[in-house]
């Protein structure tokens, strides 16, 4: 059985058509997998919001109590570290408090006056750590914020005493040599 050029050409056309159909089917399958993966990610984030976030908030309150009670107890500090490490492995991150105050992640519980304008609006003290789970803030950090306050202006007022000293015979009434009633008799 010998193949004619027409039969070979028909066979090539059939294979090309089969290849195109399979390629289109593969692309459709890939789109379906991508959509399914997106839906799974959406469902996971919804589960995080619905279950994980409230759980983390409650356990963080327990961690605060452990921290307050630890007072040098290495066992309690160890338990606290272990609890936080479990949540870190699940995506919990401590909010960075170095630098400028950010109302999205920090809760200001106080203000401290500073004289250097470069320190204005900076976090001075962290009173309670804050945490986020992914891009969602679970609990804002409680912080004290620096506020720049310019020193009061100094008036360039000439020294009044120096002006009086220019007059001959003037004596300073507050001078200890003269006493408290200098220049006045007892009647006033």
């Amino acid at each position: 059985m010998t193949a004619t050029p027409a039969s070979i050409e028909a066979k090539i056309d059939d294979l090309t058509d089969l290849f195109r159909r399979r390629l289109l089917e593969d692309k459709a399958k890939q789109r379906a997998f991508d959509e399914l993966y997106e839906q799974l990610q959406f469902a996971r984030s919804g589960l995080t919001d619905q279950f994980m976030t409230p759980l983390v908030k409650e356990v963080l309150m327990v961690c605060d109590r452990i921290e307050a009670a630890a007072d040098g107890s290495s066992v309690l500090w160890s338990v606290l570290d272990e609890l936080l490490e479990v949540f870190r492995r699940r995506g919990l991150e401590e909010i960075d408090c170095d630098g400028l105050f950010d109302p999205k992640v920090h809760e200001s519980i106080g203000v401290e006056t500073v004289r250097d304008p470069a320190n204005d609006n900076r976090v001075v003290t962290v009173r309670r750590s804050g945490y986020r789970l992914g891009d969602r803030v679970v609990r804002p950090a409680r912080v004290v914020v620096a506020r720049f306050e310019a020193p009061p202006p100094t008036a360039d007022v000439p020294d009044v005493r120096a002006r009086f000293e220019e007059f001959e015979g003037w004596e300073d009434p507050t001078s200890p040599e003269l006493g408290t009633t200098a220049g006045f008799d007892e009647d006033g």
Side-chain angles (χ1 to χ4, degrees), residues 141-158:
R142 286 189 176 168
V143 297
V144 176
V145 182
R147 283 281 172 241
F148 170 69
E149 186 176 298
T154 56
D156 292 333
V157 177

Side-chain angles (χ1 to χ4, degrees), residues 130-148:
Y131 295 92
R132 69 172 37 141
L133 198 55
D135 59 350
R136 183 184 186 99
V137 174
V138 174
R139 178 175 87 178
R142 286 189 176 168
V143 297
V144 176
V145 182
R147 283 281 172 241
F148 170 69

Side-chain angles (χ1 to χ4, degrees), residues 3-74:
T4 63
S7 67
I8 294 175
E9 191 174 326
K11 199 64 151 160
I12 290 174
D13 287 342
D14 289 342
L15 290 173
T16 303
D17 189 42
L18 177 65
F19 177 73
R20 284 186 181 143
R21 279 184 286 157
R22 292 275 171 94
L23 188 60
L24 288 174
E25 287 173 8
D26 287 348
K27 285 183 180 180
K29 284 179 186 177
Q30 185 62 42
R31 273 195 306 272
F33 283 130
D34 290 344
E35 288 176 20
L36 186 59
Y37 183 75
E38 286 176 22
Q39 289 174 2
L40 179 64
Q41 290 299 95
F42 180 75
R44 280 185 181 163
S45 69
L47 289 174
T48 298
D49 290 346
Q50 187 176 1
F51 297 109
M52 188 71 165
T53 302
L55 175 66
V56 169
K57 284 181 180 182
E58 290 182 35
V59 172
L60 285 175
M61 288 190 305
V62 172
C63 289
D64 290 340
R65 292 183 66 197
I66 291 172
E67 186 175 349
D71 197 34
S73 169
S74 61

